[in-house]
Amino acid sequence: MPSRDILVVIDNEAGIARLLAPVAALAKRGDVRITGMYVTGMPASQAFADLDGWAQLVDAYMTAQRATALRAERAFRAELARLKLTGDWHCRESDMTEGVIAMARLFDLVVMGQTDPDAVPSALRPGEVVLAAGRPALIVPYAGEFAQIGRRVVVAWNGTREAARALFDAMFVIDSAEAVTVLEIDPPEGLDGDPELRASHVVAALTRRGIAAKAETVASGDMAIADVMLSAAADAAADLIVMGAWGHSRLREYIMGGASRGILQEMTIPVLMSH
């Protein structure tokens, strides 16, 4: 695997080991350069600038965040040392999501944790990073341990630009996978115009690269698409899902539901997403 620059976004100290475990697994496959990043977030100082004592509250907030960033850096470097890895550290004082989006554009892959609905709310919005950064993102579930990644991969395929982008963004992992399942759900039938690229076409393309892959076509029935994907991944004993994100507008997905939003909420294994 060629050298890869990987950005690991730290939004809480407790999740560092969970985020670095799959990165360490990727490092076993080839040379990776790792940068940990903590973004402090910024209070809405402009909106409340006229309130008595607001400047002091802002100062107290930033002092606390800088102390948290320092603890996170120490924990990050300690975990790297335990894993026998080296890496850099970057702290940015800005809006968390916007700060991550800006920095992610300089890396091959950005690694983030899934939002934990039961934890202290985080200002990091992984879905927005996926949409805006222009880089693939590896989202790691908030529960579980993932010391292995990419041995058995499920690639979600629907013929869209986003699916193609995700497929080839993930090729550095897929190239050395033991088994790859190309999953299509409710494929269209009998459309006029250009022929649809089906899962079988993707399998043929992967076979030309020497990758063992198989196609699987399923009907969703009454199940949500995200649930079908997770069920197929469980059946395949997969340790990674690869998928395009937000092939439809975000408004449509918000109103009607969608695979991207569903996976971000319900994932049980790491997911590599591209938009």
Side-chain angles (χ1 to χ4, degrees):
M1 184 176 76
S3 178
R4 299 274 168 175
D5 265 342
I6 298 179
L7 181 69
V8 183
V9 180
I10 310 299
D11 64 343
N12 66 80
E13 182 180 344
I16 289 174
R18 179 173 45 82
L19 289 175
L20 282 178
V23 175
L26 294 178
K28 293 176 182 178
R29 296 170 172 237
D31 183 32
V32 300
R33 293 186 294 268
I34 303 166
T35 299
M37 181 181 187
Y38 185 89
V39 183
T40 62
M42 298 293 287
S45 57
Q46 295 301 317
F48 300 97
D50 294 334
L51 295 181
D52 291 340
W54 183 249
Q56 289 82 0
L57 290 174
V58 170
D59 287 343
Y61 171 85
M62 294 307 300
T63 298
Q65 285 294 86
R66 289 164 188 152
T68 300
L70 182 58
R71 291 194 300 272
E73 179 182 3
R74 290 170 178 164
F76 174 79
R77 293 191 184 279
E79 185 63 12
L80 283 182
R82 189 185 72 81
L83 295 169
K84 296 181 171 58
L85 297 171
T86 59
D88 298 319
W89 179 258
H90 182 80
C91 181
R92 188 165 186 167
E93 295 185 357
S94 69
D95 174 85
M96 182 174 287
T97 295
E98 293 301 322
V100 171
I101 288 170
M103 185 61 68
R105 290 172 177 153
L106 302 178
F107 287 80
D108 296 304
L109 180 70
V110 54
V111 178
M112 298 176 285
Q114 177 196 21
T115 301
D116 183 350
D118 296 323
V120 176
S122 169
L124 178 63
R125 300 180 294 278
E128 292 191 21
V129 177
V130 174
L131 272 169
R135 308 304 303 139
L138 179 68
I139 315 297
V140 181
Y142 63 78
E145 298 181 359
F146 307 97
Q148 298 294 336
I149 184 173
R151 291 192 301 180
R152 303 182 65 85
V153 181
V154 168
V155 177
W157 181 258
N158 60 2
T160 62
R161 178 190 70 82
E162 292 80 11
R165 174 74 180 271
L167 172 67
F168 285 93
D169 280 343
M171 199 61 72
F172 75 101
V173 178
I174 294 172
D175 272 339
S176 55
E178 296 173 6
V180 177
T181 299
V182 182
L183 176 70
E184 57 182 358
I185 303 170
D186 301 332
E189 299 289 349
L191 294 179
D192 294 330
D194 293 335
E196 292 291 308
L197 285 177
R198 300 290 298 269
S200 58
H201 296 102
V202 179
V203 167
L206 294 176
T207 301
R208 290 195 296 271
R209 299 174 67 106
I211 299 170
K214 67 175 183 178
E216 181 176 341
T217 301
V218 299
S220 61
D222 295 331
M223 293 179 66
I225 297 297
D227 292 338
V228 176
M229 291 170 58
L230 293 172
S231 177
D235 291 343
D239 55 26
L240 178 68
I241 294 174
V242 173
M243 65 178 289
W246 281 283
H248 302 298
S249 73
R250 295 193 71 191
L251 177 60
R252 175 177 171 181
E253 289 220 358
Y254 179 78
I255 294 172
M256 302 178 65
S260 305
R261 190 159 59 94
I263 286 291
L264 284 172
Q265 292 172 346
E266 306 295 337
M267 65 174 62
T268 52
I269 58 175
V271 179
L272 193 150
M273 307 179 88
S274 294
H275 175 70

